[in-house]
Amino acid sequence: ATADQCLDQLGLTHVDLMLIHFPATFDGKGGKAARQEEWKALEKWAKSGKARAIGVSHHCARHIKDIQEVATLPIAVNQAQYHVGMGSAGPLATDDKAFMQSQGILYQ
């Protein structure tokens, strides 16, 4: 669904926060150019007054750096899946939490 369709379905004129859910398609397609294009479109939508803040979900440091190359609005949040079962899954289990914090991105 498009961002405008989401607003229509919610019966709202704007949201406090809109996230891009995943840095690629479920079949693994995407890449840097796609991430950057998607972010620029979300920024344009937010600048039209439809979102107070924008962010991402499940993006690692590399994905964030791709976006930062073109971003004119801050990445407010990186929402990550993290639970006790992931505690011993290695350094990637935290989706680069320390990096997000160093960039001023709320790790949620």
Side-chain angles (χ1 to χ4, degrees), residues 5 9 11 13 22-23 25 34 40-41 47 53-54 57 73 75 78 82-83 89 93 97-99:
Q5 288 172 325
Q9 291 171 354
T13 58
F22 193 71
T25 62
K40 288 189 282 187
K47 287 177 180 179
I54 54 178
S57 180
L73 293 177
I75 302 168
N78 185 9
Y82 188 76
H83 51 79
K97 180 180 179 180
F99 172 79

Side-chain angles (χ1 to χ4, degrees), residues 33-99:
R35 279 188 287 282
Q36 291 177 334
E37 181 180 334
E38 194 173 48
W39 183 260
K40 288 189 282 187
L42 186 60
E43 280 193 348
K44 182 178 178 183
W45 185 79
K47 287 177 180 179
S48 74
K50 296 181 180 179
R52 292 183 182 168
I54 54 178
V56 296
S57 180
H58 304 291
H59 283 53
C60 69
R62 179 175 53 92
H63 302 139
I64 294 296
K65 289 176 185 177
D66 290 346
I67 291 170
Q68 287 174 324
E69 289 179 9
V70 300
T72 62
L73 293 177
I75 302 168
V77 173
N78 185 9
Q79 186 181 64
Q81 175 181 320
Y82 188 76
H83 51 79
V84 71
M86 295 174 70
S88 61
L92 295 179
T94 63
D95 285 335
D96 295 315
K97 180 180 179 180
F99 172 79

